[in-house]
Amino acid sequence: MSEKDIFKELFEVAKKSKDPEGVVAACLVKNGSILALSPSAHDGVRHAEDLVLEIARLKGIKIDEKVILYTTLEPCSYRSPINNVRDCTSIILDVGIKTVIFAANDPEYSQNAKKRFIEAGVNYRQIRDKDFIRKSVELFNSTITIPLTSMGLPRAKKLPNN
Ligand SMILES: [Zn+2]
């Protein structure tokens, strides 16, 4: 599968989630074939990268240096302790993924995630296709429905156009 076909599959599976904090889809690819894919969860807690690695674990898929993680948004590098889940950068580094390819930038986490992946020797890069990057931003922003806070501000932040 080409990178284009992989992102088409990610956009397709993303339709299954109405993540109120913004939908993201991720998959694991080896030798051009998708091994596992998942959108982020409806509850806004479990992220796509976390879920796709859980699928791999349940299916007994071995993670080696040939496995590439694709995601429509840069992995997060921090989670609020309230959620009781780990950040995706830590989860990805722990399983030994050596290549991470993403579409949209996440201004909130970008610098920290990038630094941690590069320091760990991970090949970390953004795709070049501007249409897919734009589509990933639109996808994320399209499902944000969390009610406004008492201050009248949105709880989940929309992504700016990359
Ligand atoms: Zn995450």
Side-chain angles (χ1 to χ4, degrees):
M1 281 176 102
S2 66
E3 197 162 283
K4 196 171 178 171
D5 291 331
I6 290 165
F7 274 90
K8 280 181 183 164
E9 291 290 326
L10 289 177
F11 293 135
E12 196 55 39
V13 79
K15 292 177 186 166
K16 292 183 184 170
S17 174
K18 295 279 173 251
D19 184 346
E21 295 208 11
V23 71
V24 174
C27 67
L28 298 174
V29 173
K30 186 174 176 179
N31 298 329
S33 300
I34 292 179
L35 304 176
L37 83 165
S38 179
S40 51
H42 290 298
D43 62 6
V45 175
R46 298 291 298 277
H47 287 176
E49 304 94 311
D50 177 11
L51 290 169
V52 86
L53 288 167
E54 182 174 87
I55 293 169
R57 201 161 52 239
L58 295 173
K59 283 175 140 183
I61 294 167
K62 192 174 161 281
I63 305 294
D64 61 27
E65 72 284 352
K66 284 185 180 168
V67 175
I68 302 171
L69 186 139
Y70 283 87
T71 173
T72 58
L73 176 68
E74 271 187 285
C76 66
S77 55
Y78 170 82
R79 296 301 303 271
S80 163
I82 300 165
N83 292 315
N84 198 30
V85 283
R86 300 175 69 215
D87 67 274
C88 295
T89 299
S90 296
I91 296 170
I92 293 165
L93 289 173
D94 275 5
V95 298
I97 297 271
K98 291 293 177 208
T99 306
V100 175
I101 299 172
F102 63 92
N105 276 119
D106 187 336
E108 195 177 349
Y109 297 114
S110 192
Q111 291 309 316
N112 193 254
K114 186 178 179 181
K115 186 171 175 280
R116 288 171 63 194
F117 282 120
I118 288 171
E119 276 175 9
V122 170
N123 171 16
Y124 185 70
R125 72 167 173 90
Q126 184 174 34
I127 60 166
R128 291 188 184 86
D129 190 310
K130 294 267 184 287
D131 287 338
F132 285 162
I133 295 172
R134 199 186 58 241
K135 221 176 154 186
S136 298
V137 171
E138 285 168 3
L139 172 71
F140 183 87
N141 291 344
S142 70
T143 60
I144 293 181
T145 55
I146 291 202
L148 300 180
T149 65
S150 59
M151 301 286 285
L153 299 167
R155 283 179 205 275
K157 269 185 252 149
K158 292 200 174 194
L159 292 171
N161 284 315
N162 275 234

